Amino acid sequence: MSQSLFADAMTRLDQALQHVSISSEAIERLRYPKASLAVSIPVRLDSGELKVFQGYRVRYDDTRGPTKGGIRYHPNVSLDEVQSLAFWMTFKCAAVGLPFGGAKGGIVVNPKALSRMELERLSRGYIDAIADFIGPDTDIPAPDVYTNATIMGWMMDQYSVISRKFSPAVVTGKPTALGGSLGRDTATAMGAYFVIRNLMNRHQKLPQVTTVAIQGFGNAGGVLAELLYDAGYKVVAVSDSKGGIYKPEGLDIPSVRRYQRDRKQIEAVYCEGSVCNLDDRQTISNSELLTLGVDVLVPAALERQITLANAHDIKAKFIFEVANGPISSAADLILQQNGICVVPDILVNSGGVTVSYFEWLQNRSGLYWSLEDINQRLQEKMDAETSQILDLAQELNLSLRTAAYVHSLKRLAKSIEAKGTQQYFTQS
Ligand SMILES: NC(=O)C1=CN([C@@H]2O[C@H](COP(=O)(O)OP(=O)(O)OC[C@H]3O[C@@H](n4cnc5c(N)ncnc54)[C@H](O)[C@@H]3O)[C@@H](O)[C@H]2O)C=CC1
Ligand SMILES: O=C(O)CCC(=O)C(=O)O
């Protein structure tokens, strides 16, 4: 049986601990989630049948501030996965210096099989079940895989109904009409774009001669494909859960996005046959996409896509982890031995939570910022934290992942130690 996702996540903590001096009490604190909630959510389906869904919310660590993290709707959601994602959120928020701890939530469901009304009842039912666990000062959800602004709007409204006051700061990633921030929908991709541009500039790789393959074509991967295309990169392959397309000369990403929006899956591009010429485009499986000989590989879908099973076959020179946890710790070692530069999730995909922080600030102050202002602040943050992590990696001769964890650990440990451990003593 394979190792649990959380046990694998702990390996990254152990590796980083070898390079930073932290009190054993702070380390012990970081090995356990603060609180985990498992709930059942009864939903009346359109057919009249009652179906019960299983949901989770894990608050991992709140030393640096209220916990923060998205909510995932997927058939494979489990407590192990949600706990791991909450652990990564803790390190991600610390990596970019946000005053938040980490959390995550999820519901075991195939949202594509539900009607809009069923989805709304499920989302409101989830908030009914976790309302005492979240709040603008305690734990603030946001979108993740197969959730979106509409769902965040329902969740915020349901919390406001329960708490009997309009509470926009309880959820981020909402529609702008309900206090959502401009730029949150593109923030994860935009943040990743700034990191890619920074690294490529340092390696003197011009966009026009840089080939890119992207696995996952949703909020993160789809928007990133368009940003890279607009900047002149050659995006040669993209995929969604059903498979992908490949064109060695570079795909016309705006057309792919248009087709995907209209037809709901990338497959439509090759089924319809009018985007690229039939002779020079190919379909490609998700596993084939990962092993293409490209300069830049971007896993932007789910965890554990690169493992011992395929790590030896990866040919990309750089991997930017837009998904959370796409590479297992065992695969990391192989990629490192093969000279592949892996830029870790807790840095690369931190643009989303950074703009969520901006949204939370705007909700609390009642002052709303322009899109230019938001993107400018995001760029400053991404560039500054990327540079610090690159410098640390060079100074201590570490992989970028370990450097990012060391960078986060220093901030986390400072806060944990400043808070003290008095609360853990019992009176005799
Ligand atoms: N949305 C956000 O703000 C953030 C998302 N992320 C991470 O980015 C990743 C993608 O999330 P989103 O783009 O938001 O989700 P999304 O729901 O918008 O899109 C998910 C995409 O992945 C594809 N996909 C699903 N299963 C797949 C599989 N087995 N193989 C290949 N593709 C598959 C889907 O077809 C879709 O194109 C996740 O790991 C998420 O945790 C990280 C930070 C923030
Ligand atoms: O925007 C947020 O609060 C969290 C986004 C998220 O779930 C993630 O970064 O993985």
Side-chain angles (χ1 to χ4, degrees):
M1 216 179 96
S2 68
Q3 195 185 29
S4 80
L5 197 57
F6 185 67
D8 202 34
M10 283 295 112
T11 323
R12 268 64 185 264
L13 175 60
D14 290 329
Q15 282 160 354
L17 285 170
Q18 293 167 22
H19 305 280
V20 59
S21 157
I22 295 178
S23 78
S24 57
E25 290 190 351
I27 298 168
E28 181 67 0
R29 189 72 198 82
L30 286 170
R31 290 196 187 281
Y32 301 90
K34 180 183 173 77
S36 307
L37 183 65
V39 296
S40 55
I41 312 151
V43 175
R44 183 73 59 195
L45 300 182
D46 294 346
S47 65
E49 181 197 343
L50 186 84
K51 189 167 167 49
V52 176
F53 295 87
Q54 184 128 40
Y56 304 100
R57 183 80 187 164
V58 174
R59 300 183 62 215
Y60 198 87
D61 183 83
D62 66 348
T63 314
R64 289 175 47 81
T67 49
K68 186 87 191 81
I71 293 169
R72 177 173 294 195
Y73 287 3
H74 196 278
N76 297 342
V77 161
S78 66
L79 184 56
D80 176 48
E81 180 186 56
V82 174
Q83 181 169 312
S84 308
L85 289 161
F87 167 81
W88 289 323
M89 282 307 307
T90 305
F91 280 78
K92 186 185 308 182
C93 291
V96 285
L98 305 180
F100 286 140
K104 204 83 177 194
I107 301 180
V108 187
V109 59
N110 173 9
K112 294 176 191 169
L114 298 186
S115 71
R116 186 182 163 92
M117 289 300 291
E118 289 167 340
L119 259 187
E120 179 170 349
R121 288 195 286 270
L122 175 69
S123 306
R124 289 182 183 275
Y126 177 66
I127 293 301
D128 286 341
I130 68 164
D132 294 332
F133 206 64
I134 61 170
D137 294 309
T138 46
D139 179 29
I140 306 137
D144 190 68
V145 175
Y146 296 156
T147 56
N148 55 24
T150 305
I151 292 174
M152 295 306 114
W154 293 331
M155 290 185 172
M156 187 280 280
D157 182 59
Q158 190 63 20
Y159 185 86
S160 297
V161 168
I162 294 167
S163 60
R164 294 195 171 271
K165 55 176 183 278
F166 184 61
S167 308
V170 72
V171 171
T172 59
K174 304 175 293 290
T176 49
L178 287 175
S181 177
L182 294 171
R184 176 59 186 87
D185 51 349
T186 51
T188 304
M190 188 77 88
Y193 169 70
F194 291 139
V195 179
I196 295 173
R197 189 178 65 178
N198 194 327
L199 265 283
M200 292 301 107
N201 281 344
R202 284 169 191 251
H203 286 83
Q204 294 168 344
K205 284 282 288 178
L206 292 173
Q208 290 72 17
V209 295
T210 305
T211 53
V212 184
I214 304 180
Q215 184 201 46
F217 206 67
N219 174 272
V223 177
L224 178 61
E226 199 146 14
L227 289 172
L228 290 170
Y229 173 89
D230 288 347
Y233 288 86
K234 271 170 68 173
V235 182
V236 298
V238 296
S239 68
D240 64 13
S241 60
K242 302 253 166 38
I245 47 173
Y246 172 50
K247 186 177 175 190
E249 301 76 39
L251 292 157
D252 176 5
I253 295 297
S255 303
V256 179
R257 291 263 291 157
R258 214 166 28 250
Y259 262 72
Q260 188 228 15
R261 243 189 322 263
D262 295 348
R263 305 288 198 276
K264 303 285 181 240
Q265 60 192 52
I266 285 177
E267 228 171 39
V269 179
Y270 48 83
C271 293
E272 304 279 327
S274 55
V275 171
C276 356
N277 171 334
L278 261 177
D279 302 328
D280 62 5
R281 67 185 153 65
Q282 289 168 235
T283 62
I284 192 168
S285 71
N286 266 296
S287 48
E288 286 166 341
L289 180 145
L290 294 174
T291 59
L292 285 174
V294 287
D295 297 303
V296 169
L297 175 63
V298 181
L302 298 172
E303 305 88 52
R304 283 184 167 166
Q305 298 301 301
I306 301 176
T307 62
L308 280 181
N310 60 356
H312 281 294
D313 303 325
I314 305 294
K315 299 177 200 75
K317 298 183 185 73
F318 294 86
I319 303 178
F320 290 86
E321 292 185 321
V322 167
N324 287 299
I327 303 178
S328 73
S329 59
D332 250 355
L333 296 177
I334 295 167
L335 298 173
Q336 208 172 342
Q337 279 160 13
N338 291 345
I340 298 169
C341 174
V342 174
V343 193
D345 46 7
I346 61 168
L347 171 67
V348 177
N349 71 28
S350 61
V353 71
T354 299
V355 176
S356 275
Y357 169 54
F358 297 162
E359 181 170 326
W360 182 76
L361 287 177
Q362 292 170 79
N363 292 153
R364 296 181 74 102
S365 69
L367 269 177
Y368 285 81
W369 311 348
S370 70
L371 183 59
E372 291 69 34
D373 207 4
I374 283 158
N375 286 338
Q376 180 61 32
R377 287 172 194 243
L378 175 62
Q379 182 180 336
E380 282 165 14
K381 171 130 309 267
M382 297 307 300
D383 284 348
E385 302 296 341
T386 303
S387 294
Q388 286 193 43
I389 290 168
L390 291 174
D391 290 349
L392 194 60
Q394 201 164 27
E395 185 193 327
L396 301 180
N397 193 23
L398 301 175
S399 71
L400 290 180
R401 189 187 309 283
T402 304
Y405 274 81
V406 169
H407 179 63
S408 301
L409 264 175
K410 287 183 177 175
R411 285 183 174 145
L412 277 161
K414 237 185 213 167
S415 306
I416 294 172
E417 284 160 13
K419 202 164 137 178
T421 49
Q422 201 58 38
Q423 58 179 311
Y424 308 124
F425 291 124
T426 48
Q427 222 90 50
S428 57

